[in-house]
Each structure stands twice: as C-alpha cells, then as structure tokens.
Amino acid sequence: MNTAEIIQLENTLGAHNYKPLDVVLCKGAGVWVWDVEGKKYLDCLSAYSAVNQGHCHPKILAALIEQAQKLTLTSRAFRNDQLGLLYKELCELTNSHKMLPMNSGAEAVESAIKTVRKWGYEVKGVPEGQAEVIVCSENFHGRTLSIVSFSTDPKSRTGFGPFTPGFKVVPFGDSKALEEAITPNTVAFMVEPIQGEAGVIIPPAGYLKKARELCTQHNIILILDEIQTGLGRTGKLLAEEHEGIEADLTLVGKALSGGFYPVSAVLSNTEVMGVLQPGEHGSTFGGNPLGCAVARAAIKVLVEENMVENSAKMGAYFLGKLQKLNNPLIKEVRGRGLMIAVELSPEAGGARQYCYKLKDSGLLCKETHDHIIRIAPPLIITKDEVDWAAEKIAAVFAG
Ligand SMILES: *Cc1c(COP(=O)(O)O)cnc(C)c1O
C-alpha cells in the first residue's frame, strides 16, 4: 500500500489523538528511516528519544530474538533471571539502591507518586489524605488521569475531569516559588531537568541544585523525570549530572529499551522505595524477561559504544552550527547534548510548514507547540551526518 492509502485507513479507522506528519515509515537502521515509497530520511526525533541507540540496533535486536525464543513472561508471581540481572546492571550504572520495573513512562510516574505519598504518611508523618506533590508549569509527565490532573496544558486536561487532587503547580525554573509552595504536607517535588515537550526549556543554572537543597532541608523527596533527558540525550547519562546532584527517585523509560519494547523504571537512591510492600503495587508485564533482556542490551550498547560521549560532542557541534544560522525566521537555538530546539520567530508563521519542508529535503522533525522544532537525532549520529543535516536545515530557512 502507498502513503495515501495508509493515511486514508488511519484517518478513517484510527482515533485522531495524534496529528502525524504525512509520512508513512516502514524501515529504520541507525539514524535513518525509510517511507513506503523508499525515500530515506534522517530521523531528528528518535521517537521522542526512545531510539537514542539508533533504529533496530543489531545487538538489541539479537537480545530480543534470543530472549523471545527462551522465555517472554512469567509475571511477578515467579522470579526470572533477566530481572535480577537488570536490577544489578541498571542500579550499578545509575548508582541506585533499588529499582521498580514498569512498562510505559506514565506508569513510572504514577508509581513514583504512589511511593512518595505512602512514604509521606508512613515515614514523614503527613496526616492521611493530605500529601502534596509539587510540580512545574508546562510539565509533561504522561497522559494518565492523575498525570493530566497536574498538567497546565489545556489540551491535555480539558474535558478529562474530575481530576486527582494533591498537586501544586509552581513556575519552572523559579526556586523561590518552589520554596514558598512547600508546606509540612509536601512529600515530593517532581520536575524534568530540561522540559522536553515544552520545547527544550533549560532552567537557570543552579536551579536543580537549589531544588535539591530545599528538598533535603524540608525532608521532601526529589523526583527527577528523566524519561526524555536520561540515558545520554543531554550529553550525560542522566541530566542531573550537569548540576552535580542526585535525585531521590529517578524515572527512566523511552531509551531504556532502545525503542524495541516499552520498559520503564523508578530508580531509588534512598530508602523511600522500601515503603512498598507485597501486594501494594504491580504490573503483569513490568519486569518481564523479554523487556529486561532488551533493556540490558540497550544500556550495554549505550555504554560500550560511547553514545553518551558522542551525544555531548555531536550535540555541541550541531548546536554551534545551528546557532550560527543567523536567519530572521529563527528566534533562538538552544540545547544540551543532542536535545536541541530551534525556536522560530512569530513572523515565520508556525513550525509545521517547516517540518514539511525539512521532510522534503530528507529530515524528519516534529514541531512542539506552534513555533518550536525539536532536533533530537539518535545519539550515534556522525559528524558527516550532522554536517549534512545542518546544511539542509540552513537551506530550508534560507528559502
Ligand atoms: C514521554 C515522557 C513521559 C511519558 O512516557 P510514556 O512512555 O509515553 O508514557 C513522561 N515524562 C517525560 C519527561 C516524557 O518525555
């Protein structure tokens, strides 16, 4: 079937909860993807950073096939060898004491919220039903009902109430507002180190450090949602390293499986995860041997093939090139590692038309909000590929 036929099927039969670019992909390898007509594109979204290791990484693929032939699901009623090994390898890599395996990113977020609420009642001594979690404006933590309850994006919330109580929203990047929002019932502060969906918004230097200090001072759990920023995207394994801090709970997902399979985890640095007792939380697929084998391979290649270092190096190089574009249509180019945003000026008339122009010249990018184009290729991108991409981007904006 060709592009038009598949789009027709999707428009007729699919729920319209996405507005994808009109390109139908059927193959991927490394930084490249192909559409059903055989046209090749450089992927500058990496499935929202789930494909940091590149499409169909051969070693992750081999792990998937091998494990799929042995054992795929036991449920947590029994133990499986792959989960034990993932505990060891992921905790060692991220310097964590404990981990809770889940599937999607949103499930990791929900799991963290449940954990800190319970910790608040049992350890901190917050009166039953009073626990508060502070979050930031313009946050993106997923799509479940409790998570959209504290979204500030009208599109994410409108029409989905009644909402889950117990959340307080403060402006992102404002540590004074955070401090003022803290009460004796505050159990956690949850934040993205860099806001991805909001448009790669980097907080002022020192913000996370100050947040860490405030949390320690007031006995509050610091939850960093690194589902998008983690696993090399910003040029460090975890974005918290840019400010030399450690979260109490760290959420990872997306690239934890290199894009093969939904695998997420809550990583814990403190005893907070100890409050969860048998029967209080779980997931049929969470920690399944197939997902764990995939995740083990995904973090192994990330380290072995120096993808984090390459992200730092190629990210700085790419950012430098884009910042030199000096085009009146471009308001600002910002980023860290290979998490880059090109923010267009209002006169440009919206980012989406440029995403189509970029697509025609062989680059797949997706707008976030109306005026921002995110540039986030797989972390294995080479210098020649960055040169090629930067040239195409320059040509599109030069008209
Ligand atoms: C993608 C994302 C999530 C949600 O992950 P899903 O797997 O889509 O549920 C949560 N937080 C951040 C920062 C994300 O980028």
Side-chain angles (χ1 to χ4, degrees):
M1 275 203 268
N2 66 24
T3 297
E5 288 163 338
I6 301 214
I7 290 174
Q8 166 68 16
L9 281 179
E10 183 167 335
N11 284 345
T12 317
L13 301 172
H16 293 185
N17 57 328
Y18 277 92
K19 190 182 164 199
L21 286 195
D22 287 337
V23 58
V24 180
L25 303 174
C26 62
K27 187 176 123 174
V31 298
W32 302 98
V33 288
W34 285 262
D35 70 14
V36 289
E37 270 84 33
K39 187 171 159 56
K40 179 182 171 185
Y41 306 90
L42 192 130
D43 182 358
C44 283
L45 185 66
S46 308
Y48 299 94
S49 294
V51 193
N52 283 359
Q53 296 87 338
H55 287 274
C56 299
H57 191 291
K59 288 190 174 161
I60 310 175
L61 176 64
L64 175 93
I65 293 171
E66 197 192 325
Q67 187 61 40
Q69 290 168 333
K70 280 200 231 163
L71 182 67
T72 57
L73 185 60
T74 55
S75 85
R76 297 287 304 281
F78 311 113
R79 302 173 196 267
N80 76 78
D81 62 340
Q82 294 300 310
L83 178 55
L85 292 165
L86 180 62
Y87 282 143
K88 177 173 184 316
E89 291 161 10
L90 189 55
C91 285
E92 271 174 16
L93 181 67
T94 58
N95 198 20
S96 305
H97 296 194
K98 274 197 185 334
M99 94 168 230
L100 168 71
M102 296 298 286
N103 309 285
S104 68
E107 281 179 310
V109 174
E110 292 271 351
S111 305
I113 294 168
K114 285 176 71 175
T115 306
V116 296
R117 281 183 169 182
K118 191 143 193 286
W119 173 87
Y121 301 128
E122 287 188 354
V123 180
K124 187 167 176 171
V126 173
E128 184 60 35
Q130 302 292 306
E132 292 167 358
V133 174
I134 302 176
V135 297
C136 287
S137 53
E138 311 303 316
N139 69 72
F140 183 84
H141 297 287
R143 298 293 194 170
T144 60
L145 276 173
S146 287
I147 296 173
V148 302
S149 295
F150 55 85
S151 171
T152 58
D153 173 18
K155 269 202 170 160
S156 300
R157 273 174 63 95
T158 308
F160 298 122
F163 297 112
T164 307
F167 301 97
K168 240 187 197 175
V169 182
V170 298
F172 180 65
D174 183 343
S175 46
K176 194 151 182 293
L178 170 61
E179 187 164 14
E180 286 166 1
I182 292 170
T183 75
N185 293 340
T186 305
V187 295
F189 173 52
M190 178 164 68
V191 64
E192 301 155 81
I194 294 174
Q195 289 187 325
E197 296 315 295
V200 188
I201 310 298
I202 304 171
Y207 173 63
L208 293 178
K209 214 167 170 185
K210 182 71 190 170
R212 174 68 277 177
E213 283 167 19
L214 288 171
C215 287
T216 304
Q217 189 188 333
H218 294 273
N219 196 21
I220 292 166
I221 302 298
L222 175 62
I223 308 171
L224 287 185
D225 180 346
E226 297 240 23
I227 292 167
Q228 191 164 147
T229 54
L231 304 175
R233 176 51 61 191
T234 71
K236 301 270 189 197
L237 183 76
L238 294 173
E240 66 176 17
E241 294 167 43
H242 291 291
E243 295 220 344
I245 62 155
E246 282 191 7
D248 300 304
L249 292 180
T250 300
L251 313 180
V252 288
K254 294 202 166 109
L256 184 53
S257 69
F260 278 82
Y261 196 97
V263 184
S264 67
V266 182
L267 303 169
S268 172
N269 247 332
T270 61
E271 288 311 308
V272 59
M273 203 173 273
V275 299
L276 290 182
Q277 298 297 318
E280 294 176 349
H281 190 58
S283 158
T284 303
F285 278 83
N288 74 79
L290 184 58
C292 291
V294 164
R296 291 180 61 211
I299 57 177
K300 188 156 183 242
V301 300
L302 199 73
V303 173
E304 270 180 8
E305 299 175 23
N306 301 313
M307 292 180 192
V308 182
E309 295 79 358
N310 195 59
S311 170
K313 222 162 100 189
M314 288 303 118
Y317 180 62
F318 207 161
L319 185 68
K321 288 202 129 192
L322 294 175
Q323 282 176 333
K324 281 196 206 89
L325 282 183
N326 204 2
N327 184 307
L329 296 173
I330 297 174
K331 187 175 153 201
E332 185 186 46
V333 179
R334 57 179 174 266
R336 193 160 282 167
L338 280 167
M339 190 172 188
I340 298 172
V342 176
E343 181 164 350
L344 306 184
S345 48
E347 302 84 71
R352 195 165 171 94
Q353 51 172 321
Y354 292 96
C355 290
Y356 271 110
K357 288 181 183 165
L358 289 164
K359 168 188 164 283
D360 290 340
S361 62
L363 271 128
L364 286 187
C365 301
K366 181 73 169 70
E367 80 275 12
T368 177
H369 294 282
D370 289 340
H371 298 288
I372 301 168
I373 301 175
R374 184 167 19 189
I375 311 275
L379 310 184
I380 56 170
I381 194 167
T382 64
K383 184 165 178 288
D384 284 350
E385 287 160 349
V386 170
D387 287 336
W388 181 88
E391 222 169 87
K392 297 283 181 194
I393 294 168
V396 161
F397 286 103

